[in-house]
Structure formats: structure tokens, C-alpha cells
Amino acid sequence: MKALVINGPNLNMLGQREPDIYGRRTYDDLVEICHEAGARVGFDEVVVFQSNHEGDIVDAIQNAWGTFDGIVINPAAYTHTSVAILDALKAVGLPAIEVHISAVEQREEFRQVSYARMACLATITGEGLDGYAHALDVLAKHLKDAK
């Protein structure tokens, strides 16, 4: 099994960006968590991708088709604005899990809208970077159950 983990804008700034909300762990820590958790739950490969550009995220989703078995995605700010990311997730039809570091449901009203969620099997919020490990576990279980 192969998983693609996609991260949206500003997640490359983890550790220095609003540490009271996102914590002090860095993007490198997030990548390490994804690789370790992915191996632990049975993925042969986990590729972690980050971009601040919506089109690059759409391209990554489209390029996942035929290469990856599933996607974990934190669209970050694009969560609340990007129909393009939603449409790309729908187009490839891969199982996807949405993840957010903070508890978005307890934050500003605009953060309550998630377009990406409409194409995802589950959403994990408020677990910090460990939410990525949880998301990979949920995705692995789904893929194993689907066989």
C-alpha cells in the first residue's frame, strides 16, 4: 500500500507559526511522524508533499491516481475556499482522510466550512501532529477492509 500525505499553505512554517495553536514541532517532525506511522500501520511507502500553491496541490492529487492507494490531506487555508481541491479529490476517486492540527470546529466561524471534507471518508481534528498518524491508521484500515 502507498499513501500520499498532502499539506497546504503555511504548514512548512510549523514550529514558528502561531505555536500556541499549532505547537512547536516542525514540518520535519510532521514528515517523520507520517513515515513512522505509515510503516507501523502497513504502508510500504508514504510520500509527504507540501505546497503553498493551490494548483500544485490539485496537480499532486491528480498525479496520485494510479500511483497511490489513498490520500491524507490537510488543505490548510484552502479547506475553506477550494472547490478545485474538492473536484480533484472527487475526480481521482481515491479514499481520502482530512486532517487538521487544530480543533477547527472550536475556532473562527469561517473555519467551519470544509469543501475537501465533502470528498473524504473521515476528518480528524485537534490532535496536533499526531492526527496524521491517526489519519494514516484510519486510511490503512479502510484500504484493508476494502480488499
Side-chain angles (χ1 to χ4, degrees):
M1 292 189 307
K2 292 172 66 172
L4 174 62
V5 178
I6 298 174
N7 292 290
N10 300 309
L11 289 169
N12 57 309
M13 300 297 288
L14 286 172
Q16 69 185 88
R17 177 189 175 212
E18 298 178 276
D20 54 322
I21 295 173
Y22 299 104
R24 300 221 176 264
R25 294 196 282 180
T26 67
Y27 187 74
D28 288 340
D29 295 329
L30 181 152
V31 171
E32 185 177 333
I33 287 167
C34 290
H35 288 148
E36 289 176 0
R40 188 171 51 251
V41 298
F43 285 102
D44 301 309
E45 183 179 4
V46 174
V47 173
V48 184
F49 170 83
Q50 188 275 331
S51 180
N52 294 317
H53 305 281
E54 183 179 28
D56 290 344
I57 294 169
V58 169
D59 288 343
I61 294 167
Q62 291 178 358
N63 291 333
W65 187 73
T67 303
F68 293 94
D69 299 294
I71 295 171
V72 169
I73 184 165
N74 183 345
Y78 292 131
T79 301
H80 323 293
T81 63
S82 183
V83 175
I85 289 173
L86 166 65
D87 287 348
L89 288 167
K90 286 180 171 182
V92 299
L94 293 171
I97 309 295
E98 178 184 32
V99 64
H100 295 283
I101 296 166
S102 69
V104 291
E105 64 278 3
Q106 297 172 7
R107 295 185 62 197
E108 303 93 336
E109 187 174 327
F110 74 88
R111 294 188 195 276
Q112 307 313 308
V113 174
S114 171
Y115 289 102
R117 186 171 300 156
M118 297 175 200
C120 292
L121 301 170
T123 300
I124 294 162
T125 69
E127 297 181 15
L129 298 189
D130 295 331
Y132 285 84
H134 185 181
L136 285 162
D137 183 50
V138 170
L139 180 60
K141 286 177 180 167
H142 171 79
L143 292 169
K144 290 172 185 172
D145 289 346
K147 285 186 178 181

